[in-house]
Amino acid sequence: MSARGHAFGIDIGGSGVKGAEVDLSTGELVHERIKVATPHPSTPNAVAEAVAKVVAQAGWDGPVGITMPSVVIGGVIRTAANIDKSWIGTDARALFATALGGREVTVLNDADAAGMAEDRYGAAKDLDGLVMLLTFGTGIGSAIMYNGVLMPNSELGHMEIGGKEAEHRAAASIKDRDGLSYQEWAAEVSTVLIALENLFWPNVFVAGGGISRDYREWIPLLTNRTPVVAADLRNSAGIVGAAMAVSSGIAP
Ligand code: BGC
């Protein structure tokens, strides 16, 4: 973190590697997001190059927080559901640190980052108790926070519900793939939320991912009992959470 309470966050997604400097007193981006296309195949070295481009373009020379769509433990990538399998076992912290000239790097799961950002600055900022964020995108990411403390690397998108993984039932990509109406897709999302609320009893669900922009179309159609609020920070939540992770100790 820089002296003036700013840090740099990078969110690695399926289509773009996006980054910005974040003012941690407000959770706001200091400038427009810088975006470089995610390379295909998204191998570790190719992605590290894209990360270095984003940071160079911003002219940032301090520490950097980076999200990955993976379980991340001690900077090492443990799963790769929707990215190149060669990431598994990669020490991402060391790889990115080298690509960024040896500076301090923190790596964490993308949904954990978004969850922390929504919990501190966004949709759940005034809410106590158990907050569960789910991101609906290519897969389903999850973050569990209790009174602001993250339980990292929950992978609820892979929970089997009715013989199917949650993310194969209700990710936003399934709606697109199968041409589901909001009504049909919301029924799948409800099935997932009901299974989760029966096990975890959260105070609130925060719904994130690109499709949360259209929340008026589908949140009212949900039939589960726990309140569901739309994420507030939208596509900057990952960047903000990544910046928060720098020197904060929230990355596992
Ligand atoms: C991955 C999670 C990730 C989520 C959203 C899932 O397939 O297993 O680690 O948070 O997708 O990107």
Side-chain angles (χ1 to χ4, degrees):
M1 192 161 55
S2 74
R4 50 191 206 289
H6 289 199
F8 200 88
I10 296 189
D11 193 23
I12 298 179
S15 65
V17 175
K18 291 153 274 176
E21 183 181 334
V22 179
D23 179 346
L24 293 172
S25 65
T26 59
E28 276 161 20
L29 306 192
V30 174
H31 53 79
E32 288 257 306
R33 298 180 312 155
I34 296 170
K35 181 172 171 179
V36 166
T38 304
H40 289 286
S42 52
T43 54
N45 285 334
V47 172
E49 239 173 71
V51 162
K53 261 191 218 157
V54 169
V55 174
Q57 225 168 295
W60 175 260
D61 58 8
V64 174
I66 302 175
T67 75
M68 286 286 299
S70 311
V71 169
V72 187
I73 297 177
V76 176
I77 304 304
R78 305 299 295 273
T79 65
N82 295 309
I83 50 163
D84 198 80
K85 301 294 174 232
S86 60
W87 275 98
I88 295 175
T90 298
D91 185 340
R93 186 165 58 200
L95 173 78
F96 292 135
T98 304
L100 294 172
R103 75 182 83 196
E104 186 195 328
V105 168
T106 306
V107 185
L108 77 165
N109 172 265
D110 55 0
D112 282 348
M116 289 304 294
E118 291 292 343
D119 199 55
R120 186 175 307 169
Y121 306 107
K125 73 173 185 293
D126 298 320
L127 303 173
D128 288 332
L130 192 77
V131 173
M132 186 173 279
L133 168 120
L134 297 171
T135 60
F136 296 90
T138 309
I140 295 180
S142 61
I144 304 174
M145 278 82 43
Y146 184 65
N147 290 342
V149 177
L150 173 75
M151 192 200 95
N153 287 314
S154 63
E155 284 284 314
L156 301 178
H158 299 292
M159 190 166 116
E160 193 180 305
I161 300 167
K164 248 191 196 175
E165 279 188 45
E167 74 174 26
H168 295 159
R169 192 178 265 292
S173 61
I174 302 296
K175 178 178 183 300
D176 295 341
R177 189 196 67 189
D178 296 348
L180 302 181
S181 64
Y182 276 112
Q183 187 80 47
E184 290 164 326
W185 181 68
E188 295 292 349
V189 175
S190 296
T191 301
V192 169
L193 296 182
I194 290 166
L196 292 175
E197 67 194 1
N198 286 345
L199 293 178
F200 292 94
W201 290 81
N203 295 66
V204 66
F205 284 115
V206 179
I211 201 162
S212 67
R213 258 192 300 274
D214 307 330
Y215 67 94
R216 287 186 193 83
E217 306 275 350
W218 59 275
I219 288 186
L221 305 175
L222 298 172
T223 55
N224 69 297
R225 66 172 179 269
T226 308
V228 182
V229 297
D232 231 18
L233 305 173
R234 304 291 148 73
N235 46 17
S236 64
I239 294 175
V240 174
M244 284 170 70
V246 171
S247 314
S248 74
I250 64 172

